[in-house]
């Protein structure tokens, strides 16, 4: 099953995707739908007036517009660990994002006006939670996963590494595309070995497979559930493979006009053009940090 969130003149609308046709389901967005008891039956039902036309003509919102939680994982691909000259982690490195960071699969990525110089790409598999869960084992974690989608954890590296805490470089508003669809695990073998690609201006920068993940989606969900209760609509970004701009010699960055394409096998594609934030109406812009740590 494939689900998405569509923008309409009256607001957002959850929809089921069959081939290229969109059918409305009884919820304003996929996150709200996942909160309904028996959400799969809700998604499979077809209202009489449910035809929303072709996905190619639709404006897609962030798949989960306002997740209760966005939990992100750092240094979680074996090839990325090697690229960063980092030790293989013994447990997941977690940080957070907030929902204003999210944009739709074809929306602009907004480069922050206060942090325009070191903007990096990070293609990621994202896990979407479909039920409440606490202290889950890996089997319970798999059952709690509603499905999978694509994301790009666009990062302001100078702000990320200005302190020991990564949050400020990870959650600038309108920087993180999420979508285009939620795909249930039965359609993609629970994301065990999917190709993941990031292109910038048509040039491949990242290529890997999700089989390179140090901590699988099930292990991540189980681990996070040992810390806090997971809820329907929560999103977990599982980490990025090698090829990030920070690790290149010389480093490479996104700039206004850069086109970022994020592709996940069996799930779909994000296609986002970078624009510079307009703060001409802002009265108190923040000051950018002046230094960055040497190690990512």
């Amino acid at each position: 099953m494939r689900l998405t969130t569509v923008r309409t003149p009256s607001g957002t609308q959850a929809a089921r995707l069959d081939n290229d046709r969109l059918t409305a389901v009884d919820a304003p967005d996929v996150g709200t739908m996942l909160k309904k008891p028996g959400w799969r039956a809700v998604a499979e039902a077809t209202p009489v007036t449910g035809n929303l036309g072709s996905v190619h003509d639709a404006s897609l919102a962030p798949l989960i517009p306002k997740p209760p939680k966005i939990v992100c994982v750092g240094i979680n691909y074996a090839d990325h660990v090697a690229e960063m000259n980092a030790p293989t982690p013994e447990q997941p490195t977690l940080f957070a994002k907030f929902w204003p960071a999210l944009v739709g699969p074809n929306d602009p990525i907004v480069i922050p006006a206060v942090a325009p110089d070191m903007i990096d790409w990070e293609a990621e598999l994202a896990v979407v939670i479909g039920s409440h869960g606490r202290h889950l084992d890996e089997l319970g974690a798999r059952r709690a996963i509603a499905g999978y989608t694509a994301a790009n954890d666009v990062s302001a590296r100078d702000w990320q590494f200005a302190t020991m805490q990564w949050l400020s470089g990870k959650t600038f508003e309108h920087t993180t595309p999420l979508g285009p669809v939620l795909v249930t695990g039965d359609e993609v073998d629970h994301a065990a070995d999917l190709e993941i690609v990031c292109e910038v201006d048509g040039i491949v920068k990242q290529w890997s497979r999700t089989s390179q993940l140090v901590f699988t989606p099930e292990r991540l969900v189980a681990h996070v559930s040992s810390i806090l209760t997971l809820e329907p609509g929560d999103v977990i970004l599982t980490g990025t493979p090698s090829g990030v701009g920070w690790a290149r010699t010389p480093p490479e960055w996104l700039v206004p006009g850069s086109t970022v394409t994020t592709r996940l096998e069996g799930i779909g594609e994000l296609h986002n053009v970078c624009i510079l934030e307009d703060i001409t109406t802002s009265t108190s812009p923040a000051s950018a940090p002046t230094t960055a740590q040497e190690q990512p």
Side-chain angles (χ1 to χ4, degrees):
M1 185 187 303
R2 293 168 182 264
L3 304 166
T4 192
T5 299
V6 181
R7 297 184 179 108
T8 76
S10 57
T12 59
Q13 173 65 57
R16 188 180 70 245
L17 181 61
D18 301 300
N19 297 318
D20 67 344
R21 306 304 296 177
L22 292 165
T23 300
V25 300
D26 186 21
D29 59 74
V30 172
T32 302
M33 187 202 68
L34 293 174
K35 295 178 172 66
K36 292 177 175 283
W39 65 263
R40 291 177 186 272
V42 173
E44 290 170 352
T46 304
V48 174
T49 59
N51 184 11
L52 296 177
S54 170
V55 68
H56 304 298
D57 299 325
S59 173
L60 301 183
L63 176 70
I64 313 291
K66 295 184 178 182
K69 294 181 284 295
I70 306 172
V71 180
C72 307
V73 183
I75 315 295
N76 193 35
Y77 275 78
D79 53 11
H80 188 44
V81 171
E83 169 183 63
M84 294 301 192
N85 295 314
T88 300
E90 296 183 4
Q91 69 177 40
T93 298
L94 304 181
F95 58 95
K97 241 183 227 295
F98 303 106
W99 67 258
L102 299 180
V103 296
N106 301 299
D107 292 343
I109 290 169
V110 179
I111 293 177
V114 297
D117 298 327
M118 299 174 68
I119 304 299
D120 205 351
W121 54 83
E122 296 189 63
E124 306 212 8
L125 169 75
V127 173
V128 180
I129 301 301
S131 62
H132 287 84
R134 183 83 162 105
H135 297 299
L136 300 171
D137 59 17
E138 290 189 34
L139 179 58
R142 174 171 286 195
R143 291 171 176 163
I145 295 172
Y148 305 87
T149 193
N152 200 303
D153 178 27
V154 172
S155 302
R157 295 298 194 189
D158 44 358
W159 282 62
Q160 178 184 354
F161 299 127
T163 71
M164 294 182 66
Q165 301 298 322
W166 293 1
L167 177 69
S168 60
K170 292 289 191 174
T171 195
F172 277 103
E173 292 188 5
H174 313 304
T175 55
T176 304
L178 182 72
V181 294
L182 179 144
V183 180
T184 51
D186 56 297
E187 293 206 12
V188 289
D189 192 25
H190 301 280
D193 186 31
L194 305 179
E195 182 183 58
I196 181 170
V197 178
C198 181
E199 297 178 0
V200 178
D201 296 329
I203 299 171
V204 174
K205 301 296 185 180
Q206 294 181 283
W207 180 93
S208 191
R209 302 194 70 85
T210 56
S211 53
Q212 284 277 309
L213 283 166
V214 177
F215 301 102
T216 65
E218 292 88 350
R219 289 185 67 187
L220 291 173
V221 171
H223 179 75
V224 174
S225 80
S226 70
I227 302 168
L228 46 80
T229 299
L230 292 170
E231 306 169 70
D234 283 346
V235 175
I236 299 176
L237 273 59
T238 61
T240 199
S242 63
V244 297
W246 173 274
R248 293 174 175 268
T249 306
E252 299 177 15
W253 310 114
L254 298 174
V255 297
S258 296
T259 298
V260 183
T261 302
T262 309
R263 188 177 304 113
L264 257 168
E265 180 184 1
I267 293 174
E269 184 173 293
L270 310 171
H271 186 80
N272 308 91
V273 177
C274 297
I275 63 172
L276 183 65
E277 180 186 18
D278 182 358
I279 59 168
T280 56
T281 59
S282 174
T283 57
S284 56
S287 298
T290 57
T291 60
Q293 293 180 5
E294 293 182 359
Q295 295 296 324

